[in-house]
Amino acid sequence: MDKLSKENKEYLIKRNTNEYEVVIGLEVHAQVLSESKLFSTSPTKFGSEPNTQVSLVDAAFPGMLPVINEFCIKQAIKTGIGLNAKINKKSIFDRKNYFYADLPQGYQISQYKNPIVGEGTVTLDLPNGEKKIGIERLHLEQDAGKSIHDVDPNNTLVDLNRSGVALMEIVSKPDLRSLDEVNSYIKKLRSIMRYLGTCDGNMQEGSLRADVNVSVRKKGSKELGTRCEIKNVNSIKFMQMAIDYEANRQVDVLEEGGSIDQETRLFDTKKNETRSMRSKEDAHDYRYFPDPDLLPLELDENFINDIKKIFQNYQMKKRKDL
Ligand code: ADP
Ligand code: MG
């Protein structure tokens, strides 16, 4: 494999006489710091005995209705303000339908076309200066349960403690260009959320994980290449290893005259390679539709302003601390 070139702080992959630029966009899943779940009163404590933090809502018993947790809404708004982002006064919870053993509802409640937080920016402090990374959106969604494959040799076990825990999905624009920028971006996001107390950022416990989108293009090209998405990577080092492997794989395909298929891949941390999981699903595969059990979320100006005030107090306090 060719060496990475870091001249001019650029991350370029060289093959034969060609130079390729790597383009990265991250979908970060940050677990909301909250004592109870997004639509139920079950506790969210990490590391409890399996299936001890599961209400009838989380287990999707027939007829159970979700009730929104106001605290989680406030946490998402706070984070949105921390990302210098637009807070949307009206947002909608949709059902994202798919089947999985650890998803008893048969759908995840998420936000699709109308997220609670819109565009924003995160500023990175890099060795060669500042760089602004665009934020596309932040939306709230439920986490799924956990399938456990390595306890019983003949069965998969399901733990629903995580089912229904609130997540913030923070989607960046495809503005990241190197492994160092990815490192700096994740650390910056984590420090913003830790400072605000909206996510503990603990990657070992899965409170912060990301889907990593990678494409390559010839240096100087204006158009973006076709991306592949690597699912659920839970450490910065693994993100960097996955991107490096994946970008080199794409360059090899292009150099051999092939083209990149848009697909969802997984990163095998033991073999240090990405493997195809499935061709990329389209939004219509999920049959998104507004959850009929939940009204649109309408925020009143004062509600948002009260949160902004807490924020200003933080900043005043920070200035005093300096
Ligand atoms: P999806 O749900 O289909 O993954 P999203 O809009 O939630 O779509 O996320 C798309 C992510 O992929 C964003 O982080 C975006 O920055 C990134 N992305 C889009 N196009 C490219 C590309 N050509 N190369 C790399 N990343 C990309
Ligand atoms: Mg995605």
Side-chain angles (χ1 to χ4, degrees):
M1 206 170 274
D2 293 358
K3 274 259 148 28
L4 304 174
S5 158
K6 291 224 169 122
E7 296 148 32
N8 307 323
K9 309 278 179 208
E10 272 186 302
Y11 172 51
L12 294 172
I13 297 175
K14 292 184 181 165
R15 282 287 191 292
N16 306 317
T17 53
N18 293 322
E19 286 189 316
Y20 290 86
E21 183 185 32
V22 182
V23 174
I24 307 147
L26 297 180
E27 296 161 77
V28 169
H29 297 263
Q31 188 179 316
V32 175
L33 253 187
S34 161
E35 285 182 6
S36 48
K37 297 185 181 179
L38 185 53
F39 298 111
S40 82
T41 53
S42 309
T44 57
K45 199 165 164 286
F46 180 82
S48 307
E49 281 291 297
N51 296 312
T52 55
Q53 302 185 157
V54 188
S55 72
L56 297 174
V57 174
D58 312 319
F61 273 49
M64 293 298 112
L65 292 171
V67 177
I68 189 99
N69 178 341
E70 184 178 324
F71 183 72
C72 292
I73 302 291
K74 287 184 175 160
Q75 293 287 64
I77 296 173
K78 250 197 214 175
T79 308
I81 297 168
L83 302 176
N84 304 304
K86 179 167 180 281
I87 309 300
N88 291 324
K89 282 202 198 136
K90 182 171 176 181
S91 64
I92 292 174
F93 286 100
D94 297 285
R95 290 188 181 179
K96 179 180 183 181
N97 299 279
Y98 62 95
F99 172 80
Y100 212 74
D102 56 27
L103 187 76
Q105 288 176 143
Y107 58 84
Q108 176 192 30
I109 306 178
S110 181
Q111 297 188 304
Y112 177 45
K113 289 262 167 76
N114 302 86
I116 183 163
V117 175
E119 292 189 327
T121 44
V122 170
T123 305
L124 306 185
D125 304 304
L126 299 165
N128 52 338
E130 282 190 349
K131 176 170 174 176
K132 288 200 187 317
I133 304 298
I135 298 293
E136 183 79 45
R137 57 192 272 145
L138 175 157
H139 67 254
L140 276 168
E141 62 184 26
Q142 302 175 294
D143 208 343
K146 224 183 207 165
S147 295
I148 300 158
H149 305 288
D150 56 2
V151 172
D152 183 324
N154 300 314
N155 294 292
T156 290
L157 307 179
V158 175
D159 174 11
L160 293 181
N161 281 352
R162 211 176 58 184
S163 167
V165 165
L167 297 178
M168 298 180 278
E169 178 168 330
I170 303 168
V171 182
S172 83
K173 305 228 180 206
D175 287 348
L176 296 157
R177 293 287 178 277
S178 71
L179 304 181
D180 291 337
E181 288 183 17
V182 168
N183 178 41
S184 166
Y185 175 74
I186 295 284
K187 286 188 174 151
K188 188 67 184 267
L189 269 190
R190 190 169 59 184
S191 71
I192 291 170
M193 294 189 289
R194 280 183 173 161
Y195 182 72
L196 296 173
T198 58
C199 170
D200 67 21
N202 191 335
M203 298 184 93
Q204 288 87 18
E205 294 179 0
S207 311
L208 196 69
R209 47 194 202 261
D211 298 342
V212 181
N213 294 270
V214 181
S215 66
V216 297
R217 62 181 174 188
K218 282 215 177 117
K219 191 183 171 190
S221 158
K222 290 271 172 292
E223 272 168 45
L224 291 178
T226 303
R227 69 176 156 124
C228 286
E229 178 178 0
I230 308 154
K231 279 280 169 200
N232 226 357
V233 190
N234 61 3
S235 85
I236 294 176
K237 183 145 172 278
F238 288 151
M239 285 178 206
Q240 293 180 322
M241 286 161 69
I243 293 164
D244 198 30
Y245 176 89
E246 178 58 21
N248 277 281
R249 183 192 71 84
Q250 292 182 13
V251 168
D252 288 340
V253 171
L254 296 175
E255 284 289 302
E256 281 162 21
S259 59
I260 306 300
D261 294 327
Q262 193 175 337
E263 51 181 15
T264 302
R265 301 176 69 87
L266 68 84
F267 182 58
D268 183 329
T269 53
K270 295 205 179 76
K271 293 192 181 151
N272 184 20
E273 62 179 29
T274 65
R275 280 201 304 276
S276 181
M277 276 168 82
R278 52 180 188 251
S279 66
K280 170 86 184 134
E281 65 287 353
D282 286 320
H284 64 245
D285 296 329
Y286 289 117
R287 298 286 184 274
Y288 280 99
F289 64 88
D291 192 314
D293 292 337
L294 291 159
L295 289 167
L297 178 67
E298 299 200 33
L299 304 172
D300 129 349
E301 190 82 49
N302 292 332
F303 186 79
I304 301 175
N305 286 339
D306 286 347
I307 299 172
K308 282 193 179 153
K309 272 187 213 139
I310 305 174
F311 209 85
Q312 281 152 3
N313 292 341
Y314 273 140
Q315 284 176 330
M316 303 247 282
K317 187 170 169 293
K318 197 173 142 204
R319 257 181 242 131
K320 273 195 216 130
D321 290 346
L322 286 176

